[in-house]
Amino acid sequence: MKRIIEWKSVDESGLVDIARRFACVVKEGGVIFLGGDLGAGKTTFARALLVALGVGERVKSPTYSLVESYQVGGLSVHHLDLYRIADAEELEWIGLSDLLARTMLMLVEWPERGRGALPEADLVIQLEHAGERRDLSATAQSARGSAWLNDLAAERAGRHRDS
């Protein structure tokens, strides 16, 4: 059974806080798909996660470049935004195969546009509009993704006990 964690009616600062908590569990790398409509908060989430991981430079949206890459310690981090591609074969042009390293974290916005060319996701984060707020669900797609969510659930439970 797939592990799922949900957050309901989250404002922007709450979304940033959730992304920061994810940064604590994804430091060993993996693949995260970010789904949701335009303006749902995918880039906000990715930017907050990248900053929390320690990206010291300006975190740019990859909307026009398609990919922005960063080095954090020994981890290569790649943030892809596939909104502008028409076919998954276009990912070959950006050198997707060169991005796939052993110690790599990949964040992919609009992953459905790269279906068949992207590696399998460890985690799928879905963001939905909830008025001015957002609902977020994180679904594990692999053992690594399940471990991430288990760590987050334990941290979440610990915070509620300490309150």
Side-chain angles (χ1 to χ4, degrees), residues 87-152:
D87 190 285
E89 290 179 5
E90 292 179 48
L91 292 176
E92 188 176 318
W93 300 341
I94 67 167
L96 179 64
S97 60
D98 295 333
L99 300 179
L100 304 175
R102 224 175 248 214
T103 347
M104 171 268 315
L105 177 65
M106 182 176 285
L107 307 172
V108 185
E109 297 183 42
W110 302 97
E112 63 278 8
R113 295 178 185 230
R115 190 171 288 125
L118 292 170
E120 295 294 321
D122 293 301
L123 191 70
V124 174
I125 295 177
Q126 187 67 34
L127 293 138
E128 303 289 338
H129 293 276
E132 293 294 314
R133 294 173 169 260
R134 302 293 180 265
D135 291 340
L136 183 149
S137 67
T139 306
Q141 302 291 314
S142 71
R144 176 185 283 165
S146 291
W148 290 345
L149 293 186
N150 288 340
D151 290 349
L152 278 175

Side-chain angles (χ1 to χ4, degrees), residues 47-60 69-73 75 77:
R47 185 174 284 132
L49 190 146
L50 291 166
V51 168
L53 281 172
V55 172
E57 60 199 88
R58 181 174 166 260
V59 177
K60 300 178 280 186
S69 295
Y70 307 92
Q71 201 61 37
V72 180
L75 185 66
V77 183

Side-chain angles (χ1 to χ4, degrees), residues 5-77:
I5 295 182
E6 296 181 327
W7 290 263
K8 298 290 185 186
S9 193
V10 177
D11 63 11
E12 186 172 343
S13 67
L15 183 61
V16 167
D17 181 58
I18 293 166
R20 287 180 183 146
R21 285 191 262 147
F22 268 95
C24 293
V25 300
V26 302
K27 291 181 179 181
E28 300 302 315
V31 179
I32 300 173
F33 287 175
L34 299 167
D37 293 335
L38 281 172
K42 297 178 296 294
T43 301
T44 298
F45 183 92
R47 185 174 284 132
L49 190 146
L50 291 166
V51 168
L53 281 172
V55 172
E57 60 199 88
R58 181 174 166 260
V59 177
K60 300 178 280 186
S61 171
T63 300
Y64 295 102
S65 61
L66 300 181
V67 63
E68 292 292 336
S69 295
Y70 307 92
Q71 201 61 37
V72 180
L75 185 66
S76 295
V77 183

